[in-house]
Amino acid sequence: MCVICFVKALVHVFKIYLTANYTYNFRSWPVDFRWDDVRAASGGGSGHRALTCAAAAAGVWLLRDAALGGDAPGRPPRGARSQAQCLLQQIRELPGQLASYALAHSLGRWLVYPGSMSLMTRALLPLLQQGQERLVERYRGRRAKLVACDGNEIDTMFMDRRQDPGSEGRGLRLVICCEGNAGFYEMGCLLAPLEAGYSVLGWNHPGFGGSTGAPFPQHDANAMDVVVKYALHRLQFPAAHVVVYGWSIGGFTATWATMTYPELGALVLDATFDDLVPLALKVMPHSWKGLVVRTVREHFNLNVAEQLCCYPGPVLLLRRTQDDVVSTSGRLPPPPAPGDVQGNRGNELLLRLLQHRYPAVMAREGRAAVTRWLRVGSLAQEAAFYARYRVDEDWCLALLRAYRARCHEELADGEAWGPHGPAFPWLVGQGLSPRRRRQLALFLARQHLKNVEATHCSPLEPEEFQMPWGL
């Protein structure tokens, strides 16, 4: 009898899997939008032109630093080296390059992007199907297939609220959601802005769900490029009404989009990090340090902070106070206690952003005050810390607005005045007393970073999702 029941249960599970696989299969869908369709688009959105066919094979542009092919300190510039020296250097580096490539395309890929494992997709198939059905039935979601410049097919879902934008007009804004390394739009971070009333466009990384390819940074950026083009040219959202929301590793594609399309309206980063290297070193053996650093730099260079500093628009960082995933407090530590946020890599992300935008404010006293403020993890402690420094918010706002107005009067060329105002860095804060500099630095830090009392993978509450601050 037990054998018969087991066989029936197995048949039932297998039937559910086949049904889900048939419904979820995306390969037979027609193409709704291609990366080069912007050539035929009229008006709207962005002034960025499509890639030429020759450039498409290499993919979209990525920001690269000295760690990726640049001249290392102490090494003669490439122009000063002879051909024999270059050849000898290449031969010496070949074993390390091969080992790095092998690690990146095997264990490294599964560690950085576990959601691309076919086994995980198969296990989650019924849940992904249920998530799709809910988005279609409850929010009238429209699924679309986009083709990136590298030929990968990107699975997307669009929920349009423009016909009923709500009392605050939230539905007129489009939030493009970039999921984490094990997230899918069917059951991912898009639920927070969706339930908050915004129009939402979700998409899956290459190799995730219905999307084809592999989720390496170049392929991710190619996918993000066609998603942004789709939002601007096919969905016809004005660039100023497009908000990019990145959760966890999705911060890479989110910052790439706003760096490449600086006219986009705003950027929200949730539980993300400044750079992947410190997090990779935390989970890998110490003896592998050289190989790990090289592999990350050459194959998974998720330089979120560098890309973030290239975006001139409004930014909001959401730091989760119980986040152990993007924390480097110790090697494989237990989940931090509430308020233990000293090792959170979001701290470095904020410091890099403020130092780039307001270098005079973040000099000495300002940086020290913000660093101390970042150690505070609870809302009550934050309010007490803020009160102790007696931050005059009205004075801070007046100073920043006066600087902005003065720049508007002095700048005659349109290039210096971008879509979000004067180009960064701002020289505001020069000549301030140490007390005033600390106050202004704390005010700016509080406007750009909000604490959320949650773990890394906890769903963000709709009320926690908000638009960034702007003058």
Side-chain angles (χ1 to χ4, degrees):
M1 186 66 181
C2 294
V3 175
I4 297 176
C5 293
F6 175 77
V7 172
K8 289 184 177 180
L10 190 62
V11 170
H12 178 68
V13 171
F14 190 62
K15 185 184 297 184
I16 292 177
Y17 171 77
L18 287 179
T19 304
N21 188 44
Y22 175 78
T23 306
Y24 191 80
N25 193 358
F26 200 51
R27 294 181 180 178
S28 59
W29 278 59
V31 174
D32 296 276
F33 186 82
R34 289 178 49 86
W35 60 276
D36 53 356
D37 283 350
V38 295
R39 294 175 178 174
S42 57
S46 168
H48 292 262
R49 295 179 297 174
L51 294 173
T52 63
C53 294
V60 297
W61 177 80
L62 289 182
L63 179 65
R64 300 183 185 273
D65 55 18
L68 293 173
D71 293 320
R75 181 187 299 176
R78 289 184 176 180
R81 282 180 273 168
S82 65
Q83 185 175 3
Q85 287 177 323
C86 292
L87 180 60
L88 182 61
Q89 184 66 29
Q90 292 177 358
I91 294 175
R92 289 175 179 174
E93 294 180 354
L94 183 59
Q97 290 177 349
L98 294 176
S100 176
Y101 182 88
L103 177 62
H105 288 77
S106 56
L107 179 63
R109 176 187 163 189
W110 310 133
L111 289 176
V112 178
Y113 291 99
S116 63
M117 298 175 62
S118 58
L119 184 62
M120 175 177 287
T121 301
R122 292 176 182 176
L124 294 176
L125 211 50
L127 294 178
L128 297 179
Q129 181 194 12
Q130 293 174 10
Q132 276 193 5
E133 292 175 351
R134 179 177 60 173
L135 294 176
V136 172
E137 296 172 2
R138 184 175 177 180
Y139 299 101
R140 299 192 299 275
R142 301 203 306 265
R143 196 180 184 193
K145 176 190 286 187
L146 316 183
V147 176
C149 61
D150 54 13
N152 285 334
E153 299 174 351
I154 308 304
D155 187 3
T156 69
M157 182 71 75
F158 171 53
M159 280 65 64
D160 195 351
R161 298 284 184 78
R162 286 175 290 188
Q163 299 300 322
D164 186 17
S167 58
E168 299 180 2
R170 292 184 173 182
L172 299 177
R173 290 181 177 268
L174 175 68
V175 180
I176 301 178
C177 298
C178 305
E179 300 290 343
N181 64 356
F184 304 81
Y185 74 70
E186 293 88 345
M187 44 189 284
C189 67
L190 62 73
L191 293 178
L194 186 60
E195 294 180 1
Y198 296 94
S199 295
V200 173
L201 175 60
W203 63 282
N204 281 334
H205 296 279
F208 283 58
S211 298
T212 63
F216 288 96
Q218 183 66 68
H219 298 167
D220 249 1
N222 297 341
M224 190 72 213
D225 181 64
V226 72
V227 169
V228 174
K229 285 182 168 67
Y230 176 68
L232 297 177
H233 297 280
R234 177 60 58 84
L235 302 181
Q236 294 294 313
F237 276 89
H241 290 181
V242 176
V243 180
V244 185
Y245 171 41
W247 171 66
S248 189
I249 210 171
F252 170 75
T253 46
T255 52
W256 181 91
T258 50
M259 172 188 69
T260 309
Y261 296 86
E263 65 270 27
L264 296 182
L267 172 65
V268 180
L269 297 179
D270 178 13
T272 190
F273 50 86
D274 60 325
D275 186 52
L276 185 61
V277 168
L279 300 176
L281 292 176
K282 182 184 74 170
V283 300
M284 298 299 287
H286 181 72
S287 58
W288 289 27
K289 181 179 179 180
L291 179 59
V292 169
V293 172
R294 179 170 193 151
T295 301
V296 171
R297 289 293 179 224
E298 293 185 355
H299 301 280
F300 299 105
N301 189 41
L302 305 183
N303 47 348
V304 177
E306 289 183 278
Q307 295 184 157
L308 175 62
C309 291
C310 296
Y311 175 58
V315 173
L316 174 63
L317 307 179
L318 299 178
R319 182 181 65 170
R320 304 196 177 201
T321 59
Q322 303 173 41
D323 195 335
D324 61 319
V325 176
V326 297
S327 175
T328 54
S329 296
R331 296 184 60 83
L332 296 176
D340 183 12
V341 293
Q342 294 191 41
N344 193 298
R345 298 305 300 185
N347 300 343
E348 297 299 322
L349 199 58
L350 176 68
L351 290 173
R352 289 279 298 273
L353 177 65
L354 294 183
Q355 286 176 330
H356 167 72
R357 292 190 168 190
Y358 311 98
V361 178
M362 292 298 292
R364 294 188 301 276
E365 299 88 0
R367 178 182 172 84
V370 173
T371 301
R372 289 192 293 268
W373 177 77
L374 286 171
R375 298 171 185 169
V376 177
S378 69
L379 299 180
Q381 293 175 342
E382 179 184 352
F385 186 94
Y386 205 65
R388 187 166 72 248
Y389 280 87
R390 299 179 181 179
V391 179
D392 187 344
E393 295 188 351
D394 294 334
W395 173 82
C396 294
L397 281 172
L399 181 65
L400 293 170
R401 287 171 178 167
Y403 178 86
R404 178 187 172 96
R406 187 166 63 253
C407 289
H408 188 271
E409 295 175 357
E410 295 175 354
L411 296 177
D413 56 328
E415 293 183 0
W417 189 273
H420 303 282
F424 291 107
W426 285 14
L427 301 181
V428 63
Q430 290 181 333
L432 290 178
S433 65
R435 182 177 66 89
R436 284 299 195 184
R437 187 179 293 116
R438 284 191 289 263
Q439 290 181 344
L440 185 55
L442 288 173
F443 172 79
L444 291 169
R446 200 178 190 188
Q447 300 304 320
H448 287 83
L449 185 143
K450 303 294 182 185
N451 283 320
V452 179
E453 296 183 353
T455 61
H456 185 80
C457 295
S458 300
L460 188 69
E461 296 296 331
E463 58 270 16
E464 297 285 0
F465 183 85
Q466 52 188 282
M467 290 295 107
W469 167 81
L471 284 175

